[in-house]
Amino acid sequence: MAAARGIKAQMVEAESVMDLARLACRVENAAMYAVKEGTGYRLFLAAEHAGKDVVVFYAHSDASGRYGSYSRYEQETLRFHDSAKDLDLQSQKVHVVELTKSPFLVSTSKSSVVSIRVKDHTDLVREQVYKTMEEEATQVIYSFMGKGKRIVGSLVQADHDLQAFVYSEMPEGKRFGFFRYNYAQDSVTAEQGVARTNTDMYIPVINLKSPFKFFRPE
């Protein structure tokens, strides 16, 4: 029997399509894949690496299109369109590539990612803010529930060979979409959307249905 062919990946389900769009739109010229699934679609986004594996995030969507238009301001929105002429110019464009089937296979390899706990989650947010400014590229923080607590964290390259998931526990378990950092007050707050009328830094939060398989809490 011939061996199955495909891209071995760690498959991670996002809480919603909005979380997937939030992750895709951290870069310009954002794109994701779509595969027909029942009466809807499964949307995929390969966005990280964990050890030697690619990490593929996915979510179910009732609708899809050739393009998506995403806006993070105040009330987040995501709409799908069949033509670029229908796009909202004030929103960020997401190119959606429909495939006949998923190219991804679930990886069974063990990841070498280590888990490092930070005592205060606001320090984790500050690090992502500083990294965003230094690299001029939007960083994200992942969020999921673990043993009844809200866990937030990010994947970082500790050195050439070692990768780490730096995480912290939140005092509250509710879900949200962004961390907001106010420079003047050096304060961090959890927000559902982005206000148009201020210059604070916002770090997107990607909510997941379950913890990463490599997550090993203290």
Side-chain angles (χ1 to χ4, degrees):
M1 182 181 295
R5 295 183 178 180
I7 303 170
K8 290 186 177 182
Q10 293 190 30
M11 307 299 295
V12 179
E13 187 173 5
E15 281 273 9
S16 68
V17 177
M18 193 69 74
D19 288 290
L20 207 63
R22 201 179 297 132
L23 179 58
C25 289
R26 65 176 172 174
V27 299
E28 294 185 9
N29 301 315
M32 63 177 71
Y33 297 112
V35 173
K36 186 68 177 175
E37 184 179 65
T39 58
Y41 295 86
R42 178 173 288 204
L43 301 181
F44 297 90
L45 178 63
E48 296 276 12
H49 280 84
K52 296 181 180 179
D53 289 336
V54 63
V55 181
V56 177
F57 299 87
Y58 68 93
H60 179 80
S61 175
D62 293 331
S64 184
R66 191 163 284 177
Y67 301 96
S69 57
Y70 166 77
S71 174
R72 68 177 192 162
Y73 292 104
E74 289 152 2
Q75 184 65 43
E76 270 188 303
T77 58
L78 173 66
R79 298 183 177 88
F80 292 103
H81 313 272
D82 291 324
S83 171
K85 295 185 295 184
D86 299 328
L87 292 174
D88 178 359
L89 298 180
Q90 293 183 337
S91 299
Q92 189 166 348
K93 181 175 72 174
V94 184
H95 187 202
V96 182
V97 181
E98 186 172 352
L99 307 176
T100 57
K101 64 178 182 179
S102 171
F104 303 110
L105 300 175
V106 176
S107 174
T108 57
S109 63
K110 292 185 178 180
S111 173
S112 58
V113 177
V114 299
S115 297
I116 301 174
R117 182 175 175 180
V118 174
K119 186 175 180 180
D120 188 337
H121 76 279
T122 63
D123 290 326
L124 177 67
V125 176
R126 289 182 180 88
E127 282 300 309
Q128 293 301 83
V129 168
Y130 302 149
K131 191 174 180 181
T132 292
M133 293 187 294
E134 181 181 346
E135 299 185 3
E136 297 184 349
T138 301
Q139 306 300 310
V140 300
I141 289 177
Y142 297 102
S143 171
F144 49 81
M145 295 299 293
K147 296 183 178 180
K149 297 181 179 180
R150 173 68 60 183
I151 305 296
V152 292
S154 58
L155 277 161
V156 300
Q157 199 70 37
D159 58 30
H160 293 296
D161 300 316
L162 179 63
Q163 196 173 19
F165 182 68
V166 182
Y167 75 97
S168 187
E169 294 180 356
M170 291 281 292
E172 296 183 8
K174 66 179 182 179
R175 186 174 62 180
F176 52 95
F178 299 88
F179 277 117
R180 175 179 176 178
Y181 178 68
N182 181 286
Y183 292 96
Q185 300 178 11
D186 189 33
S187 63
V188 173
T189 55
E191 307 287 345
Q192 293 298 337
V194 174
R196 292 180 183 271
T197 57
N198 66 66
T199 57
D200 293 345
M201 176 72 78
Y202 287 82
I203 299 296
V205 175
I206 315 304
N207 297 288
L208 309 178
K209 283 200 169 182
S210 58
F212 290 108
K213 290 182 179 179
F214 53 73
F215 179 54
R216 297 290 183 270
E218 290 183 1

